[in-house]
Amino acid sequence: MDKNEKGNKAFLKILVSIAAMCIIGVILLAITMHWIEKYTMHGQSIQVPDVCGMYEEEAGLAFSSNGLQYEISDIRYDESLESGQIIEQNPKAGANVKQGRTVYLTVNSGNQPMKPIPDLAGNSSLRAAKAQLSAAGFHLTEPELVDGDLDWVYGIKYMGNEINAGTMVPEGSTLTIIAGNGLEAMELEPADSSEIIQSDFFDF
């Protein structure tokens, strides 16, 4: 066998090896892509059902029938719903998600939270009291003005009654601040009774 034949055979072997490697590579790539597509469920999505207003048990059935999971992530109070009803969900109803996705729920506690009245009477200006009460979640009416130092807080009213610092009232309640109008209260000097008696006694 001459050198040319040997060279041709060696070259042919190299070509066969390269072709085999390419075929194996294509097969491996196809298998990998198929696995990735199956794992991520490419092109498949589920629409999140609307469970707001439902109770946890009802929502759980709705999610499980759609291949979804749920988790209670927050509990807060909503006066428009009953205890245990769902206030919010994330993702929201109608969103397209993958099967097995977890939907996070906010559930109504049923118990309105209470907050104490801060110690403001005699210790705060009207502006500071408004800021503190608003930050605590209270609603405010127009201040009730009384004779006294201008914009100085003299008391807090709830449902028409003056209340003390530390009194527990429902969060979000409406309060009225009693504040000074800048007019000093008039102080009447007591009359001298002896002078009045004497004047009356000797008046003929």
Side-chain angles (χ1 to χ4, degrees):
M1 183 180 294
D2 57 19
K3 292 182 179 181
N4 289 334
E5 290 180 359
K6 289 182 178 181
N8 289 337
K9 286 184 177 182
F11 181 70
L12 184 60
K13 286 182 180 180
I14 292 173
L15 289 178
V16 170
S17 298
I18 293 173
M21 290 174 63
C22 289
I23 291 171
I24 293 171
V26 170
I27 292 172
L28 290 175
L29 180 61
I31 293 172
T32 302
M33 293 301 294
H34 177 73
W35 179 83
I36 292 174
E37 184 174 357
K38 184 176 180 181
Y39 180 76
T40 60
M41 290 178 289
H42 179 70
Q44 299 180 30
S45 62
I46 297 170
Q47 197 171 66
V48 178
D50 185 2
V51 299
C52 289
M54 293 184 183
Y55 293 94
E56 183 181 350
E57 185 177 352
E58 297 174 276
L61 292 174
F63 289 136
S64 61
S65 63
N66 284 278
L68 300 172
Q69 300 179 21
Y70 77 92
E71 181 179 320
I72 297 176
S73 60
D74 192 16
I75 298 176
R76 68 168 188 259
Y77 177 72
D78 188 327
E79 62 180 6
S80 65
L81 297 174
E82 294 182 5
S83 176
Q85 286 184 298
I86 294 167
I87 301 173
E88 291 179 358
Q89 62 183 81
N90 185 30
K92 295 188 178 296
N96 292 316
V97 298
K98 299 294 184 183
Q99 187 175 13
R101 172 71 183 269
T102 298
V103 181
Y104 297 95
L105 306 176
T106 299
V107 177
N108 188 26
S109 65
N111 298 316
Q112 187 170 11
M114 306 290 283
K115 284 197 170 181
I117 295 297
D119 187 9
L120 300 172
N123 296 312
S124 175
S125 67
L126 177 59
R127 182 177 179 180
K130 282 182 175 180
Q132 189 171 345
L133 292 172
S134 297
F138 294 112
H139 301 290
L140 300 173
T141 66
E142 285 296 315
E144 180 180 317
L145 300 180
V146 297
D147 289 346
D149 294 337
L150 181 62
D151 290 342
W152 188 247
V153 175
Y154 288 95
I156 304 293
K157 279 188 174 182
Y158 169 63
M159 299 183 68
N161 297 313
E162 191 168 349
I163 54 178
N164 297 322
T167 302
M168 301 298 291
V169 297
E171 184 180 281
S173 295
T174 299
L175 305 175
T176 300
I177 300 174
I178 304 171
N181 57 11
L183 300 176
E184 293 293 337
M186 295 181 61
E187 295 183 4
L188 298 176
E189 294 184 3
D192 190 338
S193 58
S194 61
E195 291 182 2
I196 296 174
I197 294 172
Q198 292 174 2
S199 175
D200 291 342
F201 183 81
F202 294 105
D203 187 13
F204 296 100

